[in-house]
Amino acid sequence: MSKNTKLVVFGSFGFGNVGDEAVPYAVEDLLLSIGIDRKVTIVSRFNNPKLENVIGLSDSYSSLLEELADTPVIICGGGIIEPREMCCALRFEKYLKMARPSHSAIFAGSFEFGVDYGWIIKRKLRSTFSKIDNIYTRDYLSEIYLRENFPEVDASAIGDIVLGMKASELRPGVVDFEGQEYISVSLSAAWKSSPDWYDWISIELQALSNDLDKPLLFVPMSCDKSDDDRIEHQVVIDKIILLGIKNEPVAIVEPFLPRDMAAVFRDSLLVISMRLHGCVMSYGQMTPFVGLSYHPKLSGFAKTVGWQHFILPYKEIPVKQDKGKYGYAFSSLKLDLGDLCRVANQAIECGSFNLLPLFRENLGQSLRDFLRRED
């Protein structure tokens, strides 16, 4: 039998979220770094992804999925283990039936913590885990809470895979500040129903931009109509302008490809991000960042890479997510005026990236070990 030259990456792909779509790029870069030549095929947990290069799980993709028989698979990124039928782990059951992979692993996957897993979902997840060869999580909190909920599972944290992605050599031409440093901002609509959130973030960003005398660059990481960061950005920009600001904010309208987004973050003085992979890409490019922890996954990443002092709230986040919320209500975090400016300056002055080489090595070695199963 000839050696398989493919690798399937299975996850939450196909709808243009830059953080999710960065995962296959990172896998390609990790393969290159460890000297393994594999063609990466992207498969989504969703039936009908919008992006043309992504295979879905609907019957219309059945012939393509059958061609992937006996190909190793890594289940990677966000939305992997959750108390929902649509999580990647449970959707992988459908893939198993259609493609019959040679072996598989949850690789740098997420575990949703701070929520309750009912016995029915737990039973289904245990069944899926029994069919998967390895489980690696993307952060230490995912590992801890996965073991707490599923004591029989052998899991270890290896870091977020997007840490292994390379940036474009040059950032997109639309980001042109004529040599001036800038502050990148990436917000989501998680708190769009909270007027206090808009007041707080507008005052904080206005003060931060004025204090550092740097312009704000608002960069969307999701532009899908169901989750469009650009709408949130414009609301905040309008409020900032009313407050008065030295340097006029700039809003990016067209979405960037993942490598271009990483280049934008690389060339920033500072990144302010509600999006997890805004934080991950910034750390991967050794750019100071402040994460706004609307969801515990941001704190999970920050604690894993030693950046917990530069996440807001800088105090301990609530153990449980708020009922009916994906994460927390803005009011639950008890943020005060001045918090963002203070933590941002600390991140610029004191932030360390000394763990980055270790996680890149861990990711590469774990991927090599997984693929050696074929030898």
Side-chain angles (χ1 to χ4, degrees):
M1 182 183 293
S2 61
K3 186 175 180 180
N4 201 314
T5 59
K6 296 179 183 178
L7 173 64
V8 171
V9 181
F10 182 93
S12 303
F13 312 127
F15 288 88
N17 180 296
V18 178
D20 293 329
E21 311 304 342
V23 169
Y25 289 87
V27 173
E28 290 176 345
D29 290 342
L30 284 171
L31 288 169
L32 184 63
S33 74
I34 59 177
I36 294 178
D37 184 17
R38 293 265 179 165
K39 181 182 184 299
V40 172
T41 300
I42 309 168
V43 179
S44 174
R45 63 169 162 151
F46 300 107
N47 283 336
N48 296 294
K50 292 182 179 179
L51 299 185
E52 292 183 359
N53 65 321
V54 181
I55 298 172
L57 293 182
S58 69
D59 291 342
S60 62
Y61 293 97
S62 59
S63 61
L64 292 174
L65 291 168
E66 288 170 4
E67 291 175 8
L68 298 174
D70 298 321
T71 300
V73 184
I74 55 174
I75 309 162
C76 196
I80 305 298
I81 308 172
E82 300 175 329
R84 289 175 275 275
E85 295 282 354
M86 276 300 295
C87 75
C88 291
L90 294 183
R91 293 288 288 168
F92 188 62
E93 289 282 353
K94 186 172 183 179
Y95 180 86
L96 284 170
K97 294 174 182 176
M98 300 178 77
R100 304 176 306 283
S102 59
H103 54 294
S104 59
I106 290 176
F107 193 88
S110 63
F111 177 81
E112 180 85 355
F113 50 91
V115 292
D116 294 323
Y117 286 73
W119 70 269
I120 295 177
I121 289 291
K122 278 191 171 183
R123 184 179 65 182
K124 290 181 177 180
L125 285 170
R126 284 193 173 96
S127 176
T128 300
F129 295 159
S130 70
K131 302 166 189 172
I132 292 173
D133 298 290
N134 304 96
I135 297 180
Y136 303 99
T137 65
R138 68 185 181 186
D139 62 82
Y140 292 137
L141 292 186
S142 285
E143 177 190 344
I144 290 168
Y145 287 108
L146 174 59
R147 289 174 177 270
E148 182 179 291
N149 282 269
F150 300 90
E152 71 281 6
V153 169
D154 182 17
S156 58
I158 57 173
D160 193 297
I161 198 162
V162 176
L163 292 174
M165 187 186 73
K166 295 179 181 178
S168 301
E169 288 188 18
L170 299 175
R171 69 174 186 256
V174 293
V175 182
D176 183 11
F177 290 102
E178 299 180 348
Q180 183 183 12
E181 292 180 312
Y182 56 91
I183 302 166
S184 290
V185 181
S186 184
L187 307 177
S188 78
W191 292 324
K192 64 181 180 181
S193 61
S194 173
D196 290 343
W197 150 247
Y198 289 115
D199 292 340
W200 180 84
I201 190 62
S202 301
I203 292 171
E204 290 287 83
L205 288 176
Q206 182 249 14
L208 183 64
S209 176
N210 284 346
D211 289 350
L212 296 175
D213 196 18
K214 306 297 179 187
L216 300 169
L217 176 70
F218 287 79
V219 285
M221 297 195 73
S222 176
C223 295
D224 188 78
K225 64 180 181 180
S226 64
D227 185 26
D228 194 337
D229 296 347
R230 296 170 296 184
I231 297 172
E232 188 77 0
H233 289 170
Q234 195 57 55
V235 172
V236 174
I237 288 170
D238 290 345
K239 292 181 73 69
I240 288 173
I241 291 174
L242 288 175
L243 292 169
I245 192 166
K246 294 179 186 177
N247 299 281
E248 185 175 353
V250 175
I252 297 299
V253 176
E254 294 299 322
F256 292 140
L257 293 173
R259 295 195 194 282
D260 290 340
M261 181 69 79
V264 170
F265 290 151
R266 177 197 62 210
D267 296 346
S268 303
L269 171 68
L270 174 73
V271 175
I272 309 296
S273 183
M274 288 178 71
R275 295 286 185 181
L276 169 63
H277 282 100
C279 300
V280 176
M281 287 185 189
S282 300
Y283 188 87
Q285 299 303 317
M286 300 201 311
T287 297
F289 69 90
V290 177
L292 303 178
S293 196
Y294 79 97
H295 187 278
K297 61 188 177 183
L298 278 79
S299 295
F301 170 71
K303 289 185 176 182
T304 300
V305 298
W307 207 262
Q308 62 268 27
H309 299 298
F310 313 121
I311 290 284
L312 289 176
Y314 54 88
K315 304 177 283 290
E316 282 297 314
I317 61 171
V319 175
K320 287 284 188 181
Q321 297 184 38
D322 288 342
K323 188 174 182 179
K325 285 277 187 182
Y326 180 66
Y328 311 113
F330 176 70
S331 58
S332 297
L333 302 188
K334 305 186 186 308
L335 295 175
D336 296 322
L337 289 175
D339 283 350
L340 178 57
C341 291
R342 179 170 59 256
V343 172
N345 281 292
Q346 291 171 351
I348 292 171
E349 294 174 10
C350 306
S352 170
F353 304 94
N354 62 339
L355 294 178
L356 180 58
L358 174 63
F359 282 110
R360 284 180 173 164
E361 183 179 348
N362 285 347
L363 288 160
Q365 185 60 52
S366 299
L367 186 56
R368 181 187 288 112
D369 291 345
F370 169 72
L371 292 173
R372 276 179 179 162
R373 290 179 61 90
E374 288 185 317
D375 297 339

